[in-house]
């Protein structure tokens, strides 16, 4: 094995290195060709040496795998040459010792991932980085080992083969693939064998074709088979890797079994009242085959019932259905015999010798007696009757009988819902239909009644028949003018002017059509205002006889018109046409037909008057509400000697809430006294101050005769006192705001407790001795009173 690897290495070196050894030579050769062939060819000395170019895959050692060595004949071993490796995997998969030229693999190599790597080598001077050799390309091939077992990528397989197939019939071909190198050794040479499924099937060792190995396998005996196939590499030798797959083989059906009826004689029965198309029964010629091979066609080939019964195949094409072809009558025939044949519809010539593929059976059908309802002699009755027929007139006589052998007596009735107004009556025993009320074609032109026939001794047996009666027309209604017809005549109408065309209606319908005659009633023949002209087309014109019409003289005229028809007996009527006098424009368009429109005074309607009064009432309510709200406003805090002073005290009967009382004054005034000169935008909510805030800062220059130190506070207090005394409207109450001046402008600085917790140091209250007798009590409270201090005021 090592000898073979060495030989392959030498051959590969020769094939790979020879072209690269001629780098630069083709250009020189082209020049020589151009100059002529006089210059002799020179052999270029190769200075590169490689020791190994093949490496086995899947190396699992701990040390890097040695690949080969790069060496130049210019390398003297002094380390002046630097070897550089580039190309596929350089630096990641392969590394090179730049001094010795040794190449190692630092990653696990897998031929199935990448079979070869193309690398480029370069030798350079380590100091000048000048290339000493031309860059050359070489290939490192990964040598295959048997590390992959064969795999059935398409498995497991499912196959079908016809039953009764001959030995050697191909079923399916299975294919196993091996990722090892098929060009090297036997790692990828696969051999197939069958592990399970004998003796029914076999597999070709080279091709993987599964074949039938047992003849006459019957689907009706066993239908499914499972075959286990193995694929082994290394040509099936010991040590090879193997893979398996399963093949599920199902025997498909062929028509090799003839049908056979389960019974040789079928007994069936059906009542005589069964309608045509009813199913009498079902027969089955059983076939061991399935699908198309089991489909049957049934036919009646003999028997006395071929004209009375029929047979068809059910939707599955397996069963035969006996059907009623004609109505049955127990009284005429009690039973029938049928000879039925069932045959396969799809035959297989290969199994024709197994036939015949048909069978015959006998079907006996008995007809059962049924108590049937009466039967009318006609399926329906039609009668025409004039509307002036007398009461009690015979319309029609219906007849029904009991078809059973008992021939029971039949009684007749009219179904009440078909004759709700009781126009007709039927004799219970004879079936004579008569009128009991006058008929009117104009109200009901058709009568559709249902007559019932019932057996006297079995009232559940009832039959019905429809009797249609058409009422014929008789001229019994006079013609009349079209209803709701009115006419008008203009005041400027001229004599002989057409004012209206009238027409008549008649509910009667004579066969020859209507023909009406018009004329003025006898009492209106000499009418001086209007005349009538019959147009001989069932219409008439109303014309004026005079002019100069006036609404003031007479606004409405009534014109009686006499109308008659042409049928016998002749019907007449008189209708009155109302004619109104109207004022019209020059084109004859009506402007007004009311004579009172010219004299009616203009006046307001009741609705408009009510609306005006309602608006006035709403305005009054709004005015009163505004006055009431104005009277309820707060009175200003005026200075009135007679006003009870306690009222002001009541208005300020609350006590300040300390630093949380944000409504009495702005808390910012205690933090910074210079900010008290702000607009009076936020005032106390419980009262409206009538004077300026007593806590505002008084400019120090305004205080006269006040020295430094204690004079500051003294002057401020006097200023505020003077301001309050001079204000005649100031309320008689004390305000804490008077003493609110403290903070940055005070010797005591801020007295607020908001910042009292900022420091734990004790305050020095010695300055209270300088404030005079008025603060003596305060000085005593803080224990800083000097007994020998003389009073200031």
């Amino acid at each position: 094995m090592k000898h073979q690897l060495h030989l392959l290495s030498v051959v590969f070196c020769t094939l790979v290195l020879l072209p690269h050894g001629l780098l630069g030579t083709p250009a020189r050769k082209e020049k020589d060709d151009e100059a002529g062939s006089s210059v002799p060819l020179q052999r270029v000395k190769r200075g590169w040496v490689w020791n190994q170019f093949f490496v086995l895959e899947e190396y699992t050692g701990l040390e890097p795998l040695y690949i080969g060595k790069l060496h130049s004949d210019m390398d003297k071993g002094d380390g002046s040459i630097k070897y550089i490796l580039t190309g596929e995997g350089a630096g990641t998969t392969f590394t090179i010792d730049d001094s010795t030229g040794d190449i190692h693999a630092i990653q696990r190599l897998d031929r199935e991932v990448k079979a070869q790597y193309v690398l480029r080598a370069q030798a350079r001077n380590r100091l000048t980085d000048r290339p000493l050799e031309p860059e050359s390309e070489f290939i490192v091939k990964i040598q295959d080992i048997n590390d992959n077992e064969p795999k059935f990528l398409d498995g497991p397989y499912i196959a079908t083969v016809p039953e009764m197939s001959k030995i050697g019939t191909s079923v399916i071909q299975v294919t196993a693939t091996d990722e090892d190198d098929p060009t090297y050794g036997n790692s990828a040479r696969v051999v197939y064998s069958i592990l399970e499924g004998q003796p029914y099937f076999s597999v070709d060792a080279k091709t993987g074709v599964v074949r039938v190995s047992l003849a006459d396998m019957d689907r009706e005996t066993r239908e499914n088979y499972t075959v286990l196939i193995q694929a082994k590499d290394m040509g099936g030798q010991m040590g090879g890797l193997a893979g398996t797959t399963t093949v599920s083989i199902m025997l498909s059906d062929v028509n090799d079994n003839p049908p056979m009826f389960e019974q040789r004689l079928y007994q069936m029965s059906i009542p005589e009242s069964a309608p045509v198309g009813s199913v009498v029964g079902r027969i089955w010629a059983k076939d061991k085959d399935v699908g198309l091979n089991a489909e049957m066609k049934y036919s009646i080939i003999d028997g006395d019932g071929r004209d009375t019964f029929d047979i068809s195949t059910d939707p599955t094409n397996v069963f035969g259905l006996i059907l009623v072809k004609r109505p049955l009558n127990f009284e005429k025939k009690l039973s029938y015999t049928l000879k039925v044949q069932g045959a396969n519809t799809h035959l297989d010539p290969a199994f024709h010798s197994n036939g015949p593929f048909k069978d015959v059976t006998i079907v006996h059908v008995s007809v059962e007696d049924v108590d049937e309802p009466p039967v009318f002699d006609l399926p329906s009755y039609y009668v025409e009757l004039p509307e002036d027929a007398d009461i009690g007139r015979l319309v029609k006589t219906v007849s029904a009988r009991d078809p059973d052998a008992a021939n029971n007596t039949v009684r007749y009735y009219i179904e009440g819902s078909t004759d709700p107004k009781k126009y007709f009556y039927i004799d219970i025993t004879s079936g004579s239909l008569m009128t009991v009320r006058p008929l009117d074609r104009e109200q009901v032109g058709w009568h559709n009644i249902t007559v019932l026939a019932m057996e006297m001794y079995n009232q559940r047996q009832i039959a019905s028949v429809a009797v249609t009666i058409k009422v014929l027309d008789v001229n019994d209604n006079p013609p009349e003018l079209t209803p709701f017809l009115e006419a008008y005549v203009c005041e400027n109408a001229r004599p002989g002017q057409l004012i209206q065309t009238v027409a008549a209606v008649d509910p009667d319908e004579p066969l020859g059509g209507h023909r009406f005659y018009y004329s003025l009633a006898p009492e209106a023949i000499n009418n001086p205002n209007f005349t009538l002209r019959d147009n001989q087309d069932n219409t008439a014109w109303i014309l004026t006889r005079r002019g100069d019409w006036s609404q003031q003289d007479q606004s409405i005229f009534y014109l009686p018109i006499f109308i008659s028809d042409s049928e016998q007996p002749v019907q007449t009527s008189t209708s009155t046409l109302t004619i109104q006098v109207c004022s019209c424009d020059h084109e004859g368009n009506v402007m007004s037909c009311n004579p009172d429109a010219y004299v009616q005074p203009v006046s307001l309607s009741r609705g408009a008057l009510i609306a005006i009064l309602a608006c006035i009432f709403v305005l009054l309510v709004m005015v009163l509400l505004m006055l009431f709200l104005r009277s309820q406003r707060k009175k200003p805090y005026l200075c009135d000697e007679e006003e009870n002073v306690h009222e002001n005290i009541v208005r300020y009967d609350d006590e300040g809430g300390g630093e949380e009382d944000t409504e009495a004054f702005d808390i910012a005034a205690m933090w910074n006294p210079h900010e008290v000169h702000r607009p009076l935008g936020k005032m106390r909510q419980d009262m409206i101050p009538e004077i300026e805030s007593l806590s505002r800062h008084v400019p120090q220059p305004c205080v006269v005769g006040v020295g430094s130190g204690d004079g500051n506070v003294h002057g401020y207090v006097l200023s505020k006192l003077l301001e309050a005394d001079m204000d005649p409207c100031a309320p008689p109450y004390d305000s804490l705001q008077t003493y609110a001046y403290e903070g940055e402008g005070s010797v005591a600085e801020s007295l607020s407790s908001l910042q009292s917790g900022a420091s734990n140091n004790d305050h020095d209250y010695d300055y209270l001795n300088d404030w005079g007798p008025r603060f003596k009590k305060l000085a005593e409270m803080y224990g800083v009173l000097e007994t020998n201090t003389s009073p200031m005021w």
Side-chain angles (χ1 to χ4, degrees), residues 699-721:
Q700 298 302 319
C702 297
V703 181
V704 181
V706 180
S708 60
D710 55 349
N712 186 11
V713 176
H714 184 204
Y716 175 79
V717 173
L718 291 179
S719 299
K720 301 302 295 182
L721 182 60

Side-chain angles (χ1 to χ4, degrees), residues 146 148-152 174-182 184-193 203-209 229-237 240-245:
N146 189 20
N148 293 281
E149 73 277 2
K151 296 180 180 179
F152 293 91
V174 297
T175 303
T177 59
D178 195 321
E179 295 182 356
D180 294 324
D181 189 359
Y184 178 76
N186 295 326
S187 299
R189 190 163 70 90
V190 178
V191 174
Y192 300 94
S193 61
V203 63
D204 189 280
K206 294 182 178 180
T207 62
V209 176
I229 305 294
Q230 175 185 269
K232 190 174 184 180
D233 59 11
M234 299 298 293
Q237 299 176 5
L241 303 178
T244 60
T245 187

